[in-house]
Amino acid sequence: MSPARVAHDPYCGEPHYPRHVGEHVPLYASAYAGFTAREHVRQQTYGDDLGQSGWLTVDELERFAEWLDLDAGSRLLDVGCGAGGPALRLAETIGLTVVGVDILAEGIATAGQLARERGLDGRATFMQVDAGGQLPFEDASFDAVLSIDAMCHLPDRLRILEELHRVTSRGARILFTDPTIVTGLVTGAELAARSSIGVYVFSVASANEQLIGEAGLQLLRTEDLTANMAEIAGRWHDARSQFSDALVADEGGPIFERVQLFLSTCHLLASERRLSRYAYLAAR
């Protein structure tokens, strides 16, 4: 079941998907602001704070860098880069060149500012781009692609994977995580809560594997990351509860409660392994 409906064009016969997040996403947008209470929340959630706002941890990022065979000569595309924290960490520690794209202006503004502050603006570039459409890059522009927990917001996944095939060079590696894999019985109310902050696409693990092949890519490995998502969601929820007064004053009560419901639902579904998170590594 998907929160996005597919319409068919009678003239071309091809499915059309919503390409834009239909509403502002308060969970992620609020995480980009340099608000003191929110910084404490991130610290308690992640420990080593990259400035990320999803389920990624530093241990995962280091493992993903190994899977992608990144080195100082790599040209990396980060799809759904958010505030640029993971991309900047890789630029700092490995010395690679990275381009990050995200649909949210708040994330791109923060990422650009952080790159300048850290003296990385020559190697790290960030652009506001709707990754659901054609990417603004020439063919074979990148050696590797990383997309952390962003594919679940992009309904037309085959077209996106085909675009990633186009903008990467021969032998490039592409890694993405998908945190909305249905692996058990989930109620309509739970799906609504889990997708309450924007456009979400729910699928089964085999769908990603099939689409990777249809896009002309070779699947190299998959890994179940569900336990990590459950832990991060629980920590995030509890940390926000601890700083609830400051967050309610900043976000407003309705948004605070909505985000808390989202996080508690994420934690429950992942803990019971009814909604899972997987990583997919493919080669061009």
Side-chain angles (χ1 to χ4, degrees):
M1 178 179 178
S2 166
R5 296 182 62 190
V6 180
H8 292 273
D9 186 330
Y11 296 99
C12 69
E14 296 180 354
H16 291 270
Y17 300 84
R19 286 175 49 188
H20 299 273
V21 175
E23 59 179 300
H24 199 62
V25 186
L27 174 67
Y28 299 127
S30 65
Y32 301 142
F35 182 43
T36 301
R38 200 163 287 117
E39 291 172 356
H40 290 314
V41 168
R42 290 198 301 266
Q43 181 64 38
Q44 293 189 19
T45 300
Y46 300 109
D48 188 349
D49 177 20
L50 295 172
Q52 70 272 54
S53 59
W55 316 121
L56 180 72
T57 63
V58 171
D59 289 345
E60 280 187 353
L61 182 63
E62 292 174 349
R63 190 158 73 254
F64 293 165
E66 293 178 359
W67 293 1
L68 290 169
D69 288 335
L70 299 178
D71 58 33
S74 297
R75 302 168 297 166
L76 174 68
L77 174 63
D78 184 355
V79 178
C81 65
L88 292 171
R89 176 65 66 91
L90 294 174
E92 286 177 323
T93 58
I94 298 176
L96 53 73
T97 299
V98 60
V99 176
V101 297
D102 200 284
I103 196 171
L104 290 180
E106 297 94 333
I108 294 302
T110 300
Q113 179 182 343
L114 291 174
R116 291 188 293 273
E117 291 175 354
R118 300 179 189 180
L120 295 170
D121 46 324
R123 286 191 280 117
T125 304
F126 299 95
M127 305 168 59
Q128 185 177 4
V129 171
D130 176 6
Q134 183 172 355
L135 297 172
F137 306 113
E138 299 294 329
D139 294 358
S141 294
F142 300 97
D143 307 310
V145 176
L146 179 64
S147 183
I148 303 298
D149 301 332
M151 282 290 187
C152 59
H153 300 299
L154 302 169
D156 195 352
R157 195 160 303 175
L158 176 58
R159 183 174 298 179
I160 294 157
L161 291 171
E162 289 173 341
E163 267 296 277
L164 297 183
H165 184 284
R166 180 185 68 79
V167 302
T168 51
S169 57
R170 184 181 300 273
R173 291 192 168 193
I174 297 168
L175 189 156
F176 69 89
T177 60
D178 185 348
T180 53
I181 302 294
V182 178
T183 50
L185 300 179
V186 185
T187 69
E190 288 169 332
L191 283 179
R194 183 59 179 83
S195 59
S196 62
I197 64 167
V199 172
Y200 274 84
V201 182
F202 299 88
S203 64
V204 294
S206 60
N208 282 322
E209 296 173 8
Q210 178 180 339
L211 293 172
I212 286 170
E214 291 179 6
L217 302 169
Q218 178 187 1
L219 180 65
L220 299 180
R221 70 183 298 172
T222 64
E223 184 164 318
D224 187 341
L225 305 172
T226 309
N228 203 47
M229 177 169 65
E231 182 176 358
I232 293 297
R235 287 184 190 172
W236 198 347
H237 176 277
D238 293 347
R240 283 177 54 87
S241 295
Q242 183 177 340
F243 294 95
S244 60
D245 289 345
L247 292 172
V248 167
D250 181 64
E251 300 172 351
I255 287 180
F256 176 83
E257 293 299 334
R258 185 179 174 197
V259 172
Q260 292 300 89
L261 176 61
F262 170 81
L263 292 171
S264 63
T265 303
C266 290
H267 174 70
L268 175 66
L269 292 175
S271 297
E272 297 181 352
R273 306 196 73 82
R274 292 188 285 135
L275 203 62
S276 298
R277 178 175 181 250
Y278 281 84
Y280 299 85
L281 177 67
R284 185 188 183 295

